[in-house]
Amino acid sequence: MHRKSNRHWVSTMLRIATLFTIGAVIGGDGATIEQLEAEMMQRVQSVTQAERKDGIVPRFNQVKSVGCVEARFEVHDQIDRRLKQGLFAHPGSYPAYLRFANATERDDSKKDIRGLSIRVRQVPGKVLWGEPGAQDFLLNSYPALFADTPETFLKFMRARQAGKELSFFLNPLDSHLKALWIVFRARERHLSPLDIRYWSTVPFRLGEDSGQAVKYSVTPCSSFRTRQAVEPGENQLRAALKAHLKGESACLAFGVQLRTDPEAMPLEDASVIWDEKASPFVEVATITIPDQAFDTTEALSRCEQSSFNPWQSLPAHEPLGRMNAVRRAVYAYGAALRHKESP
Ligand code: HEM
């Protein structure tokens, strides 16, 4: 009884906080956000003790923490003038924290979409949301998102919650065949999170008060490659990360792709890939990950408790489009909910 009324209080407070954000920032998307939150709330409340990791409520998406590592994010000095904006305006070396994740599977050996969340720290300047000094970048292992709009994402979340994923894709009255095709292409069996390419899939501004929009991509640049599964099974990606770092520090190249064709490179459809031949990604920074004890109980628990938000960002890298607008409140809500419900 006490637990129930506590939950009700938490839910009311979170709702008020979120509505504040919605009203102030994105007006028209409020209904979608509220409904996405209701789905998340329902999911969090149905999480069993067994599903919790060290008592921590798992994320709704990018559910399994493969591992989090400390890294250096080094901004290059030779960058095209147009790209010298925000974090990339001057050469520099920043501490960073990276989280590698599986979108849906707890078993690393299964096909899945992988996630990479990056937090660059000690970045000078104000943030649009969250902790000053932090610049977050969130990426997936496929260049397009299966959902074109937040509404499609919501429909999928509802179907998943009801255990009717297949009918979301194949319902003859409201089918999502392109989404199915993207999920089919995007889910892969991977051998190491350090050998995968990642994309932001949605656009971001480049430069305060600028009309430039970009997408991000992170590309492996280590000479080390994982050729076969390390300790095949449930935690093989974690094992591969460990083996790679024991062998040599890891290298990831961070690139930006300028939007050069407004029609072929839409801001509002996250399922459209911006053609890399028309506008190639240009490397602006290098991420280096040294060997470290990232798989201790404490480090994994810290990883599970972390949370990222694309709006934790300099204004020069403001998230663009409705997909991103919705994410601002949804991620903040998700993190608050997970932390309140965890001991
Ligand atoms: C309307 C669009 C989207 C919605 C509603 C959405 C929803 C979510 C939710 C609910 C979470 C879990 C948050 C938590 O419980 O703490 C999450 C996490 C995540 N999402 Fe999205 N997502 C969207 C688009 C995207 C896009 C475009 C990307 C980038 C490719 C992305 C990448 C990620 C990653 C990497 C995480 C893990 C964040 C972390 O490590 O804390 N999502 N998303």
Side-chain angles (χ1 to χ4, degrees):
M1 184 66 197
H2 173 71
R3 182 118 182 106
K4 207 170 168 189
S5 65
N6 203 20
R7 271 190 188 146
H8 179 73
W9 181 86
V10 168
S11 124
T12 311
M13 292 312 288
L14 284 166
R15 198 154 297 276
I16 291 168
T18 318
L19 283 173
F20 233 96
T21 322
I22 296 162
V25 183
I26 44 183
D29 296 317
T32 309
I33 296 170
E34 266 212 73
Q35 290 166 50
L36 278 163
E37 286 170 355
E39 293 301 323
M40 287 164 68
M41 187 68 165
Q42 208 182 325
R43 165 79 187 128
V44 169
Q45 285 176 350
S46 66
V47 167
T48 61
Q49 280 305 327
E51 282 177 299
R52 294 182 180 218
K53 289 277 144 207
D54 303 323
I56 304 164
V57 175
R59 287 161 173 81
F60 199 102
N61 262 10
Q62 296 297 343
V63 67
K64 174 170 174 180
S65 298
V66 169
C68 287
V69 289
E70 302 288 344
R72 290 298 314 165
F73 189 98
E74 271 157 317
V75 177
H76 296 179
D77 51 1
Q78 300 291 330
I79 298 179
D80 180 320
R81 188 179 40 82
R82 288 173 304 168
L83 308 181
K84 279 183 158 285
Q85 305 283 350
L87 177 61
F88 314 120
H90 307 285
S93 176
Y94 302 88
Y97 187 64
L98 273 61
R99 174 176 180 259
F100 295 98
N102 294 346
T104 56
E105 300 289 351
R106 292 239 157 249
D107 182 343
D108 294 354
S109 67
K110 294 200 170 150
K111 282 188 178 180
D112 204 353
I113 298 169
R114 316 293 162 186
L116 170 60
S117 309
I118 302 172
R119 168 149 317 138
V120 187
R121 294 197 172 112
Q122 297 174 15
V123 176
K126 62 172 184 175
V127 284
L128 292 166
W129 177 94
E131 184 192 322
Q135 171 65 53
D136 287 1
F137 299 106
L138 281 74
L139 306 105
N140 275 342
S141 58
Y142 194 73
L145 203 69
F146 73 96
D148 50 354
T149 64
E151 288 71 25
T152 308
F153 199 101
L154 173 61
K155 277 190 198 167
F156 173 76
M157 255 175 152
R158 284 197 169 137
R160 195 172 87 177
Q161 193 70 4
K164 292 182 179 163
E165 268 178 53
L166 214 56
S167 77
F168 162 81
F169 293 116
L170 299 176
N171 177 355
L173 300 177
D174 185 20
S175 62
H176 294 93
L177 298 180
K178 185 179 179 190
L180 182 61
W181 174 241
I182 292 176
V183 170
F184 174 73
R185 294 287 305 268
R187 285 172 60 86
E188 274 188 61
R189 228 167 242 119
H190 293 106
L191 294 178
S192 167
L194 295 171
D195 293 351
I196 303 172
R197 198 167 159 203
Y198 302 88
W199 291 263
S200 68
T201 76
V202 283
F204 296 81
R205 192 186 297 288
L206 186 68
E208 220 172 328
D209 309 319
S210 126
Q212 293 193 115
V214 293
K215 288 189 181 182
Y216 305 122
S217 182
V218 164
T219 309
C221 47
S222 313
S223 52
F224 189 104
R225 283 285 186 275
T226 302
R227 304 280 173 209
Q228 59 188 41
V230 181
E231 297 172 26
E234 197 186 354
N235 290 317
Q236 67 180 48
L237 291 178
R238 192 174 290 158
L241 186 55
K242 196 175 165 78
H244 182 141
L245 296 181
K246 282 261 170 280
E248 115 187 358
S249 58
C251 168
L252 297 169
F254 189 96
V256 300
Q257 178 190 35
L258 267 179
R259 181 176 186 240
T260 51
D261 178 346
E263 272 186 31
M265 300 175 168
L267 295 179
E268 290 298 349
D269 187 339
S271 69
V272 173
I273 299 172
W274 292 2
D275 185 359
E276 291 194 31
K277 285 200 197 80
S279 178
F281 280 89
V282 179
E283 199 180 315
V284 292
T286 305
I287 300 167
T288 309
I289 311 169
D291 187 25
Q292 59 197 279
F294 72 88
D295 59 342
T296 62
T297 311
E298 298 75 45
L300 289 173
S301 165
R302 192 160 79 94
C303 185
E304 195 60 27
Q305 287 183 56
S306 66
S307 54
F308 296 79
N309 189 321
W311 287 85
Q312 190 146 263
S313 164
L314 296 177
H317 306 304
E318 182 191 343
L320 296 175
R322 290 180 63 242
M323 262 334 220
N324 265 329
V326 166
R327 292 169 87 195
R328 178 174 180 143
V330 167
Y331 286 43
Y333 184 80
L337 203 54
R338 287 193 298 114
H339 294 139
K340 287 276 180 199
E341 289 288 320
S342 300

